[in-house]
Amino acid sequence: MNALRVFAHIVLQHGVLRYSSTTSNLGNSVRNKLKVSSKQLAKPQPIDILNNLCHEERLNRHVLTAHHEGVASHAKRRKSKSCGAAIAGKNIIFVAGLGGIGMDTCRQIVKRGPKNLLIFDRLDKPDYITELQKLNPKTKVAFYSYDVTVPLSKSKELLQEVFEKYETIDLLINGAGIMDDHQIEKTIAVNFTGTVNTTTAIMDFWDYRNDGPGGVIANICSVTAFYPNCQVPVYCASKAAVFSFTVSLALLAPVTGVTAYSINHSITRTTLGQNFNSWLDVGPCITEKLSDTPSQSTAQAAKSFVKAIEANKNGAIWKLEQGKLEEVKWTGFN
Ligand code: NAE
């Protein structure tokens, strides 16, 4: 198995993500078959690396089928649809829009005039919804109670209700997260499975192969996906999993019509790390250590976040650190 021979080494240094591998140039052959244009994916392409981990034959079958079903015409339609702003006039779902990062980002989003902002959260904070609504009366803000750990069928039911009411959704932001390495299964359920399930559920309505219009997904990952804090390895690994999933989504965009990019915050002052436990209690004073580390406010992070949304770049890896937004360059296998 080619996949088993892959030895991927990831380092995030000075904004550069590097992979090294013992594999041959398999990625190029898959990319050629996918006919991924330079416009669809940032160069150099993270997709090449992840292609090595895919089952080539299965992927090719999807691509061939997709071509037979007229992906090209879908792509054209999508291109004409996606011209212009990525927020103004759009229908947006923000999962976990009422947390620290979520709420400040929602404030910035609402100021840019989406048609509808639908906040899915397990938190119920009516005051926050009222505040957002007042910020821009032209945007309709609605709240849906949603726990991302519900079974996939429940996520689909909720989205069915939403699509019946709003007809189109343009952007899905997945942001639910917890950091508590004593709760291993819950961390994976919220941070990873929750994002995968919500994404899977929306595919019923977006996927080109279901004659959907496509869509855009912004997944909140973390710089810890690349640069783990070993005191919370479960949290970091769950974020690395979401990152990997996001790269695959971007790779599949020519087939599904759904583009994706990752949003990777560095330490941002919220309550996320306030009461967390380290794995096996390897680092009992993490909260204090975190407060000594350079960080950013949620307001700073929110401004960077909306810039990334406006850039609307499939496959982009955005780093949001100390008030700055940077697209991490992927140098490919060395
Ligand atoms: P927060 O605790 O304020 O927000 C967490 C959000 O997730 C809340 O809206 C909460 O309701 C929602 N949530 C949790 N469990 C849920 C569930 N079962 N169903 C639905 N929603 C659920 O923390 P935050 O810092 O605003 O975190 C928001 C996202 O940003 C999380 O995914 C987090 O991992 C990510 N993030 C935060 C930071 C940070 O420093 N605050 C960083 C990167 C990514 C840097 C680090 O990784 C340390």
Side-chain angles (χ1 to χ4, degrees):
M1 281 284 287
N2 282 314
L4 293 178
R5 277 188 268 120
V6 171
F7 173 66
H9 178 62
I10 310 169
V11 184
L12 184 70
Q13 277 175 335
H14 311 298
V16 175
L17 199 60
R18 291 198 176 83
Y19 273 70
S20 60
S21 168
T22 58
T23 53
S24 63
N25 209 8
L26 185 63
N28 280 340
S29 74
V30 177
R31 190 188 56 201
N32 290 340
K33 284 167 191 160
L34 275 168
K35 295 186 171 57
V36 178
S37 79
S38 56
K39 278 190 181 164
Q40 284 164 315
L41 296 171
K43 280 186 175 178
Q45 296 177 5
I47 300 319
D48 286 355
I49 295 100
L50 268 292
N51 269 338
N52 289 334
L53 302 172
C54 290
H55 190 302
E56 197 180 7
E57 288 308 312
R58 200 167 132 249
L59 198 54
N60 288 344
R61 221 169 34 237
H62 280 313
V63 173
L64 287 173
T65 311
H67 272 289
H68 287 144
E69 288 173 0
V71 155
S73 64
H74 275 304
K76 251 190 211 161
R77 200 175 57 185
R78 175 83 197 148
K79 203 177 165 197
S80 61
K81 268 190 69 186
S82 66
C83 287
I87 298 178
K90 303 293 183 191
N91 289 342
I92 299 173
I93 294 176
F94 197 141
V95 178
L98 299 181
I101 286 174
M103 182 60 185
D104 258 334
T105 308
C106 282
R107 288 185 178 106
Q108 291 296 329
I109 288 174
V110 162
K111 284 182 193 164
R112 283 159 180 77
K115 191 171 174 194
N116 290 286
L117 175 62
L118 314 181
I119 297 178
F120 287 20
D121 208 315
R122 104 200 134 141
L123 300 173
D124 187 6
K125 294 184 174 173
D127 294 355
Y128 280 20
I129 302 297
T130 308
E131 183 202 320
L132 290 171
Q133 189 58 79
K134 278 188 187 156
L135 270 178
N136 185 354
K138 287 185 184 157
T139 294
K140 296 238 172 346
V141 182
F143 172 74
Y144 288 83
S145 179
Y146 182 52
D147 185 325
V148 295
T149 63
V150 295
L152 176 60
S153 58
K154 292 281 172 204
S155 302
K156 289 188 177 199
E157 272 171 32
L158 177 58
L159 284 169
Q160 179 75 41
E161 186 188 328
V162 161
F163 273 84
E164 274 169 18
K165 181 157 181 191
Y166 297 92
E167 291 182 359
T168 58
I169 297 293
D170 302 286
L171 169 66
L172 167 67
I173 303 170
N174 284 307
I178 59 166
M179 178 159 37
D180 180 352
D181 268 26
H182 280 189
Q183 299 197 63
I184 295 171
E185 285 173 6
K186 189 170 175 190
T187 299
I188 294 164
V190 174
N191 298 7
F192 179 56
T193 316
T195 291
V196 174
N197 276 350
T198 310
T199 303
T200 305
I202 209 164
M203 285 297 182
D204 283 357
F205 306 92
W206 273 356
D207 196 325
Y208 281 171
R209 294 164 306 159
N210 299 333
D211 212 25
V216 181
I217 294 181
N219 284 336
I220 301 183
C221 306
S222 166
V223 293
T224 65
F226 319 105
Y227 191 60
N229 175 330
C230 60
Q231 293 156 335
V232 277
V234 180
Y235 172 82
C236 300
S238 71
K239 290 294 174 178
V242 181
F243 171 76
S244 168
F245 181 64
T246 309
V247 176
S248 292
L249 289 175
L251 169 66
L252 291 168
V255 178
T256 61
V258 178
T259 60
Y261 49 87
S262 65
I263 300 289
N264 302 281
H265 295 83
S266 71
I267 296 173
T268 310
R269 294 187 291 277
T270 69
T271 55
L272 183 79
Q274 221 167 45
N275 299 310
F276 80 86
N277 301 298
S278 65
W279 182 65
L280 302 178
D281 295 323
V282 290
C285 310
I286 301 175
T287 308
E288 295 89 89
K289 280 181 193 154
L290 276 182
S291 59
D292 288 343
T293 311
S295 60
Q296 62 186 345
S297 67
T298 50
Q300 286 176 309
K303 284 185 184 153
S304 297
F305 202 147
V306 289
K307 278 187 206 161
I309 295 173
E310 292 290 14
N312 199 13
K313 196 168 178 185
N314 188 39
I317 302 161
W318 296 107
K319 184 171 76 158
L320 290 72
E321 187 170 50
Q322 292 183 62
K324 292 199 185 106
L325 175 71
E326 186 186 342
E327 188 183 353
V328 173
K329 300 292 175 209
W330 195 282
T331 59
F333 287 110
N334 291 322

